[in-house]
Amino acid sequence: MATFFGEVVSAYSRAVDEGEDESEEEENEEDREIRNEIQKKREVHVHWNPDITNSIDASSAKAFQCSDLILAAGPNAAGFLSAFVLSSGSWETVGSVTLWNERCKTTANQQLPAGPSCVFHRRTDKPDVLICQCTCHVAEDQLFQWAEKVLGSIQKTGLTVTVLSDCSVVEYKTPDSVSTIPVPFLRALKTRQYKEVPLCPLLEQPNVVTGLPAAVLSHCQVFGIPAVLYQCYSDVVKPDSVTVEAYKPTVSCRSLSRIVKLDSSESVDVLKKLVRVNEAQSNLYT
């Protein structure tokens, strides 16, 4: 009971247990531990082969020496690199990115990276070109980590980044009817530092880029790295020969022209195998 007007007194209610504050503190501590465990589980990890790790440690910048990074995000973009790049020449796997989230699933397609990972390849006679195939889903809370850890381990001086990305045509915004546009088609987006002329029309407003391509392009823009994105809008989500071949105009850019071979029997064989495996997986009765 107050002894004078304006005195602050502690109210007591039988409906509230005095030990409730302690239980709330314990519960909050438990919640924090759970959140920390989830965050640790969802961390993005970059793994390099021992030779690459040694070269990184020996360099003054403590970073991988690379002139061109070519990233394929999505099954058709990765299929293009498998059919027209990795099918010719001598390539070695030099690293990977591992991560976990609820949408990561394994795949029986041996032509593409299996499991929740992104795989790095390097051509033995052109070791300054690095290719990354990423067909797994990277969650929103992992995008910044992915771009920071991958690009943070590569020397930025003299680096050019080329991103090939899959996107559903239903996400493309246009005043015209989408049905009147030949599908699939390419659109480009570049950073301010990228001086080459894109090999397809630039992405029109109000379209936006999301996911891993957006994270990589944003990182390059902030750190002054020349980068270009070629996004393929298609009506299919699985590897498809028409969609894979839609990336062919990109071979004229400097980064890809050094390593792509379009007229190759190996390329045709790999492309047929990609489509055949996809058709088998899409068959309800197989």
Side-chain angles (χ1 to χ4, degrees):
M1 181 176 179
T3 56
F4 61 90
F5 180 77
E7 180 183 5
V8 177
V9 296
S10 299
Y12 175 76
S13 172
R14 294 179 180 177
V16 180
D17 189 357
E18 292 181 349
E20 184 173 341
D21 292 339
E22 296 179 0
S23 63
E24 286 181 355
E25 291 180 0
E26 293 177 358
E27 183 178 355
N28 290 337
E29 181 66 27
E30 184 178 354
D31 290 342
R32 281 192 291 270
E33 291 180 1
I34 294 174
R35 282 194 297 270
N36 291 336
E37 289 179 3
I38 293 176
Q39 289 176 358
K40 186 176 181 180
K41 188 176 182 180
R42 297 176 72 88
E43 285 183 359
V44 176
H45 301 279
V46 181
H47 309 279
W48 296 107
N49 286 3
D51 292 343
I52 304 298
T53 302
N54 293 335
S55 66
I56 291 175
D57 294 338
S59 66
S60 58
K62 299 299 180 183
F64 180 71
Q65 303 290 326
C66 177
S67 65
D68 292 283
L69 171 64
I70 302 169
L71 167 65
N76 282 292
F80 173 76
L81 293 185
S82 291
F84 298 104
V85 178
L86 298 177
S87 62
S88 61
S90 177
W91 293 85
E92 60 178 347
T93 301
V94 295
S96 64
V97 181
T98 57
L99 55 90
W100 176 91
N101 58 60
E102 293 78 5
R103 287 179 57 183
C104 284
K105 296 180 180 180
T106 57
T107 174
N109 189 346
Q110 299 302 317
Q111 296 296 325
L112 299 176
S117 63
C118 307
V119 181
F120 293 101
H121 304 277
R122 182 177 67 170
R123 188 162 168 170
T124 54
D125 60 338
K126 292 183 176 67
D128 61 325
V129 178
L130 190 66
I131 284 179
C132 178
Q133 290 178 297
C134 185
T135 56
C136 69
H137 172 73
V138 183
E140 290 184 0
D141 61 325
Q142 297 172 320
L143 294 172
F144 177 79
Q145 280 190 72
W146 198 103
E148 185 180 49
K149 291 186 176 182
V150 171
L151 294 172
S153 62
I154 300 175
Q155 186 170 338
K156 297 176 176 61
T157 305
L159 174 65
T160 299
V161 177
T162 304
V163 183
L164 307 180
S165 172
D166 296 352
C167 190
S168 173
V169 72
V170 298
E171 298 182 24
Y172 183 71
K173 298 177 177 62
T174 174
D176 303 321
S177 174
V178 178
S179 60
T180 63
I181 304 175
V183 178
F185 59 91
L186 290 176
R187 289 295 183 267
L189 196 62
K190 66 185 185 70
T191 63
R192 189 177 295 108
Q193 294 75 19
Y194 189 82
K195 301 305 180 184
E196 290 186 50
V197 178
L199 301 168
C200 67
L202 292 173
L203 186 63
E204 307 91 342
Q205 294 182 349
N207 289 286
V208 296
V209 176
T210 60
L212 185 59
V216 171
L217 217 61
S218 297
H219 183 98
C220 292
Q221 177 68 28
V222 170
F223 288 93
I225 302 172
V228 62
L229 163 68
Y230 290 104
Q231 185 147 279
C232 181
Y233 289 90
S234 176
D235 53 359
V236 296
V237 294
K238 297 293 184 180
D240 170 78
S241 60
V242 176
T243 304
V244 169
E245 291 184 349
Y247 286 101
K248 281 186 175 181
T250 64
V251 303
S252 298
C253 71
R254 184 194 60 82
S255 299
L256 284 167
S257 62
R258 301 172 57 195
I259 55 176
V260 173
K261 287 188 177 181
L262 294 180
D263 300 324
S264 170
S265 59
E266 292 86 354
S267 299
V268 176
D269 292 339
V270 172
L271 184 56
K272 287 181 178 179
K273 189 173 182 179
L274 284 171
V275 175
R276 192 182 307 118
V277 172
N278 173 54
E279 290 175 349
Q281 291 177 344
S282 300
N283 191 333
L284 179 63
Y285 301 100
T286 57

